[in-house]
Amino acid sequence: MSSTSGDTTPDAPLTPAPSRERSAWAERLGLRVPVVCAPMGGVAGGALAGAVSRAGALGMIGMGSAGSVAALERELARLDTGGAPFGIGLVAWGIAREPELLTRALEAAPALLSVSFVDWRAEPAARAQRDAWIGAARGAGVRTITQVATADEARSAAAAGVDAVVARGKEGGGHGEHREPRDPLLESVLAAVEIPVLAAGAVTSAADLVEVQRRGASAAWIGTAFAACTEALTSAPARAALIAAEGRDTVVSRVLDVALDRPWPSHYPERLLRTPFVERWQGRESELAADTVAKAEFRAALAAQDYTVVPLDAGEGVGAVTTVRSAADVVRELARPLR
Ligand SMILES: Cc1cc2nc3c(=O)[nH]c(=O)nc-3n(C[C@H](O)[C@H](O)[C@H](O)COP(=O)(O)O)c2cc1C
């Protein structure tokens, strides 16, 4: 354990000196920049992953809740990293639904396999499920990572044999548990486990990257700041909506999942851009679930890509997304030396 408890020295460093394993995590993966572009389903395809990896960070192909072997094959065909490492991100129930997804992901020889939304309970079925993907990745020589929202989840992940965890703060975009802000969560996760810990949630600048590293993170795990990149799967109207938004326009909500009858567990709401539709139904999700007219209107707005109605996943750092840029520009900006 790398706990700081008991250290009463007033000018003690914020975190203990990082272990070699923690400080060298990015280097060992072959990264020049300690940044991972989060595996965002519907956003982070092969083109974005390749561009991020060519720029020296780690690009990841994201297979979200709608992921499939066919979609993974399509995005792998678009992946050109120029020989640099890349990663693949799956969600736990995607593997349960289509076990071939894991097999195919490992065959692609990623440097990193992420599995999100893992059931960390001690029940035998949950345990068997996570042992299966952790064991398969280990057998294939692929490092693993998972996102956690509490120090307890981090302990469970480390005990199960996951190689690194992402301490995902509630500022982050997309689905998650949204419990604690990034920095206090990072601190408690670093104290709870010895494996490398990445920081996620509103990391959008070189100053943020330096700050999370100073606090002990081995790298930053960044979604929103890459979501409007040229190479992302994001459509032009969605990019425009992200660029126009500020952090205060985001809200944690289940309205999108309910409107689309998506079977996301209710303890994983998503941070998304607030629209009048979200405001109308926030807190009235069961009424929305039963309102076929409202849901049909919403689907029509989705088909028309009307983002004044349809909310996009985005984190509190969305205000820093002010223009469409290449992934290389975003990585360069994140790696810019601070004066
Ligand atoms: C548009 C979008 C889609 C996302 N999709 C996924 C996903 O499919 N799987 C996943 O594990 N995380 C997903 N996330 C969450 C990210 O992994 C990460 O936790 C988050 O982006 C970090 O915070 P940030 O957005 O402030 O950088 C998504 C995030 C965004 C913004």
Side-chain angles (χ1 to χ4, degrees):
M1 287 292 165
S2 53
S3 168
T4 52
S5 61
D7 187 348
T8 51
T9 320
D11 57 354
L14 197 60
T15 54
S19 67
R20 174 86 192 121
E21 195 192 351
R22 275 185 174 163
S23 61
W25 184 84
E27 219 172 88
R28 283 202 187 140
L29 275 180
L31 310 186
R32 284 181 278 122
V33 180
V35 162
V36 175
C37 176
M40 297 174 278
V43 170
L48 181 61
V52 170
S53 289
R54 289 195 304 275
L58 192 78
M60 294 196 75
I61 293 179
M63 288 291 118
S65 52
S68 64
V69 171
L72 179 58
E73 296 287 3
R74 185 188 65 223
E75 296 310 326
L76 283 168
R78 293 172 177 163
L79 177 73
D80 171 15
T81 67
F86 70 98
I88 297 178
L90 308 178
V91 299
W93 57 81
I95 300 174
R97 188 180 57 211
E98 200 179 2
E100 183 64 18
L101 198 48
L102 175 65
T103 314
R104 186 62 195 98
L106 293 174
E107 275 170 10
L112 189 66
L113 174 79
S114 161
V115 177
S116 294
F117 313 114
V118 176
D119 183 348
W120 294 114
R121 285 173 307 168
E123 267 83 51
R127 190 179 290 232
Q129 208 177 58
R130 61 196 186 236
D131 284 353
W133 62 262
I134 295 167
R138 187 166 286 168
V142 175
R143 285 191 179 84
T144 53
I145 195 163
T146 191
Q147 299 192 64
V148 297
T150 63
D152 275 349
E153 284 184 356
R155 277 188 206 96
S156 303
V162 176
D163 297 313
V165 290
V166 181
R168 182 193 189 276
K170 66 178 191 173
E171 303 91 335
H175 288 91
E177 285 181 74
H178 303 98
R179 290 178 187 232
E180 277 186 79
R182 181 194 69 211
D183 291 346
L185 175 65
L186 176 60
E187 191 180 343
S188 61
V189 171
L190 281 165
V193 296
E194 289 181 352
I195 56 176
V197 181
L198 279 66
V203 177
T204 64
S205 67
D208 294 338
L209 176 58
V210 167
E211 177 60 13
V212 296
Q213 287 185 285
R214 186 185 73 82
R215 289 175 177 272
S218 298
W221 174 277
I222 302 178
T224 300
F226 285 104
C229 281
T230 340
E231 300 90 343
L233 295 169
T234 313
S235 68
R239 283 199 183 102
L242 290 169
I243 286 167
E246 297 291 341
R248 61 175 174 273
D249 301 326
T250 70
V251 64
V252 174
S253 175
R254 294 194 56 241
V255 166
L256 178 57
D257 287 337
V258 173
L260 295 176
D261 296 313
R262 296 196 300 205
W264 273 83
S266 58
H267 61 279
Y268 291 129
E270 62 198 313
R271 185 174 289 284
L272 42 67
L273 296 184
R274 187 189 285 118
T275 66
F277 183 87
V278 174
E279 277 174 353
R280 181 170 161 213
W281 294 105
Q282 186 84 343
R284 295 171 53 214
E285 290 81 2
S286 23
E287 276 175 72
L288 172 59
D291 193 327
T292 50
V293 175
K295 288 196 289 188
E297 281 169 9
F298 184 82
R299 282 190 185 273
L302 181 64
Q305 297 195 49
D306 182 353
Y307 296 110
T308 63
V309 175
V310 177
L312 288 161
D313 278 354
E316 286 182 9
V318 71
V321 179
T322 54
T323 174
V324 175
R325 294 195 293 164
S326 68
D329 275 356
V330 173
V331 173
R332 203 174 301 119
E333 177 63 25
L334 287 164
R336 182 174 59 83
L338 298 180
R339 292 195 214 179

